[in-house]
Amino acid sequence: MRLDVITIFPDYLAPLDLSLIGKARRDRLIDLHVHDLRDFTHDRHRTVDDTPYGGGAGMVMRPEPWGEALDHVLAAGAADDASAAVPHLLVPGPSGVPFTQAMARRLALEPWLAFACGRYEGIDERVYDEARRHLPVTSVSLGDYVLNGGEVAVLAMVEAIARLVPGVVGNAESLVEESHEDGLLEYPVYTKPAEWRGHPVPEVLLSGHHGKVARWRRDERLRRTAERRPDMLAALGEDGLDAADHEVLRRFRAERPAVAD
Ligand code: 97T
């Protein structure tokens, strides 16, 4: 998979040299290219922003460097790998569609992704209009909070996507039995020692009874999801839960009403 990132802070992406993603790059599973937007300016000050037409607070990123940077990415990618026609362009911002595990799974199947990191109040809208003439473009948000720019969002998205690329994560099983892959949060986990500072590991986990362990874990996932993410339980609907699930949820709710939402 080829990844191109355009940013005014290339150093922000340095963590992608580390850990699992760094290893995937060395193994040539991920071909990551970071581009400095200021390299596509032509004035002495390497200007990338200006005041907004119509007035208002802050600065807007000018379209010309973005146009040149995207032209460069398209040409460089096509020269490197003729099989990848055009990238899917992802633009993080607080007004995008929510980035989800389902989206990460779809994007992990694509041969080429490009990320445009905006700063200030955003990028001139005509950059999106022009990009859409050539590529699929998606504005994505990590959640309902505000960042200073897209770089941290790109770090998160690249990690979420790249770990789903075959070969990047060694144990394929660790990819499926995780939160957000089947609509419930994960169960709590424990390791040695069996007692620590007066806290014992739940007895059932030491019992060796696989059926009981599985039911206990399912119950804990339901309990956590009901407590922390009632929206996820609602989204699962009737079909996602069986009679035993409904019974444990009824008991949890009687014990303690939901706190989230
Ligand atoms: O708030 C932002 C500013 C710039 C780029 C991205 C974001 C953002 O992305 N997800 C949440 C906020």
Side-chain angles (χ1 to χ4, degrees):
M1 168 184 273
R2 180 181 172 114
L3 302 173
D4 288 271
V5 183
I6 306 169
T7 170
I8 59 168
F9 292 122
D11 293 347
Y12 242 108
L13 285 304
L16 296 178
D17 290 337
L18 306 174
S19 190
L20 225 70
I21 305 302
K23 170 83 165 36
R25 292 177 71 187
R26 292 190 291 279
D27 293 346
R28 305 280 165 130
L29 296 168
I30 302 290
D31 180 22
L32 174 73
H33 302 260
V34 179
H35 311 268
D36 187 342
L37 183 68
R38 292 192 198 276
D39 290 347
F40 302 92
T41 60
H42 301 285
D43 64 312
R44 269 198 328 118
H45 302 290
R46 312 225 299 161
T47 309
V48 294
D49 62 334
D50 212 323
T51 53
Y53 278 123
M59 300 290 269
V60 174
M61 298 191 98
R62 291 174 61 105
E64 309 98 312
W66 280 108
E68 290 197 26
L70 288 166
D71 288 346
H72 170 78
V73 163
L74 294 187
D80 262 24
D81 181 359
S83 68
V86 291
H88 188 148
L89 180 62
L90 299 159
V91 188
S95 306
V97 299
F99 181 73
T100 61
Q101 188 65 21
M103 191 185 296
R105 239 180 283 128
R106 284 194 298 274
L107 293 170
L109 302 173
E110 303 217 8
W112 188 6
L113 302 174
F115 297 86
C117 299
R119 285 258 150 186
Y120 318 114
E121 299 309 307
I123 304 171
D124 187 300
E125 188 65 22
R126 292 168 293 179
V127 173
Y128 301 88
D129 299 337
E130 173 66 9
R132 270 193 282 270
R133 295 177 57 220
H134 308 279
L135 342 155
V137 180
T138 307
S139 297
V140 285
S141 165
L142 285 200
D144 293 340
Y145 43 81
V146 177
L147 304 171
N148 284 332
E151 288 79 7
V152 166
V154 167
L155 286 176
M157 287 192 285
V158 166
E159 181 153 318
I161 295 163
R163 63 194 294 285
L164 300 176
V165 169
V168 171
V169 169
N171 181 2
E173 224 174 64
S174 67
L175 288 178
V176 290
E177 210 182 308
E178 282 180 308
S179 294
H180 304 297
E181 285 290 354
D182 68 357
L184 290 177
L185 298 180
E186 199 41 279
Y187 51 77
V189 295
Y190 301 85
T191 185
K192 269 72 79 182
E195 185 175 319
W196 177 73
R197 296 192 179 184
H199 302 270
V201 170
E203 182 103 37
V204 60
L205 299 180
L206 311 175
S207 70
H209 193 303
H210 296 303
K212 282 186 181 163
V213 168
R215 185 66 247 176
W216 181 86
R217 285 177 167 169
R218 177 87 184 167
D219 292 354
E220 291 301 311
R221 298 183 72 199
L222 290 163
R223 179 204 299 276
R224 275 191 167 179
T225 311
E227 258 182 33
R228 300 174 185 180
R229 295 293 303 275
D231 59 307
M232 285 174 62
L233 268 195
L236 257 186
E238 292 302 307
D239 301 340
L241 303 172
D242 65 15
D245 294 337
H246 282 294
E247 176 55 24
V248 298
L249 280 174
R250 208 183 47 72
R251 273 192 283 117
F252 293 154
R253 284 173 179 143
E255 272 170 39
R256 186 142 45 104
V259 289
D261 235 25

